[in-house]
């Protein structure tokens, strides 16, 4: 686990509420970003790399959409560059601030990099979600 100076909502030694953990994991793009960050050995990624990987996870999930009648069919005609830009903007303005407010990561807006801090309780549920969602 990564060490962090200062106080956060999800300190390594504090048990976050399940409400907070599930709220953070409730959005698929936030989950996909966390999947990618959790896989990085140093927990660091650019916002651009995050967006690219979120789109990649969405494409993997879209392949399963045909088998799930409750989901709408994927937009196979979407321009990949437009899709990545849409995801990048959503990450910067919605998901990264929410994760940063919870103390899960730091977003350096000048360098457009993200440092994931992790937390055992969150990672336990994140790994479970990843297994269920991507298997």
């Amino acid at each position: 686990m990564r060490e962090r100076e200062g106080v956060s909502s999800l300190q390594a030694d504090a048990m976050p509420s399940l409400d907070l953990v599930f709220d953070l994991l409730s959005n698929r793009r936030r989950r996909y970003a966390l999947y990618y960050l959790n896989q990085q050995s140093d927990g660091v990624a650019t916002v651009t790399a995050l967006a690219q990987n979120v789109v990649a996870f969405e494409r993997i999930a879209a392949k399963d959409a045909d088998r799930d009648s409750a989901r709408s069919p994927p937009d196979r005609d979407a321009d990949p560059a437009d899709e990545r830009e849409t995801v990048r903007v959503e990450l910067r303005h919605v998901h990264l601030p929410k994760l940063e407010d919870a103390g899960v990561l730091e977003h350096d807006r000048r360098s457009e990099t993200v440092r994931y801090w992790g937390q055992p309780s969150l990672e336990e549920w994140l790994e479970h979600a990843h297994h269920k969602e991507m298997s």
Side-chain angles (χ1 to χ4, degrees):
M1 182 185 350
R2 295 161 195 94
E3 299 283 328
R4 179 175 183 191
E5 293 179 18
V7 177
S8 72
S9 298
L10 286 178
Q11 292 178 359
D13 59 344
M15 178 72 117
S17 73
L18 282 179
D19 289 340
L20 177 58
V21 169
F22 290 140
D23 182 44
L24 294 175
L25 298 178
S26 68
N27 180 277
R28 70 180 161 81
R29 285 189 171 159
R30 218 170 16 250
R31 277 192 315 278
Y32 295 169
L34 287 170
Y35 293 162
Y36 179 71
L37 288 167
N38 193 40
Q39 294 170 350
Q40 304 311 301
S41 61
D42 60 358
V44 177
T46 65
V47 176
T48 300
L50 271 179
Q52 289 171 341
N53 282 279
V54 167
V55 169
F57 278 123
E58 287 179 342
R59 291 192 181 274
I60 291 167
K63 289 179 183 178
D64 295 334
D66 294 335
R67 290 185 277 138
D68 186 356
S69 62
R71 289 186 183 166
S72 60
D75 184 2
R76 299 191 198 298
D77 298 327
D79 179 16
D82 289 345
E83 195 174 0
R84 282 191 306 273
E85 181 60 17
T86 298
V87 170
R88 189 179 71 77
V89 168
E90 187 177 317
L91 287 171
R92 287 180 62 219
H93 295 284
V94 178
H95 303 301
L96 296 178
K98 184 172 187 94
L99 292 165
E100 190 170 34
D101 289 346
V104 173
L105 55 77
E106 268 185 278
H107 175 207
D108 183 341
R109 286 151 187 80
R110 288 180 303 155
S111 65
E112 283 296 296
T113 57
V114 175
R115 177 175 299 279
Y116 172 65
W117 296 111
Q119 199 286 334
S121 294
L122 174 66
E123 289 179 4
E124 176 184 350
W125 290 105
L126 181 67
E127 289 172 13
H128 183 71
H130 185 267
H131 175 73
K132 290 293 189 183
E133 197 163 33
M134 296 296 161
S135 295

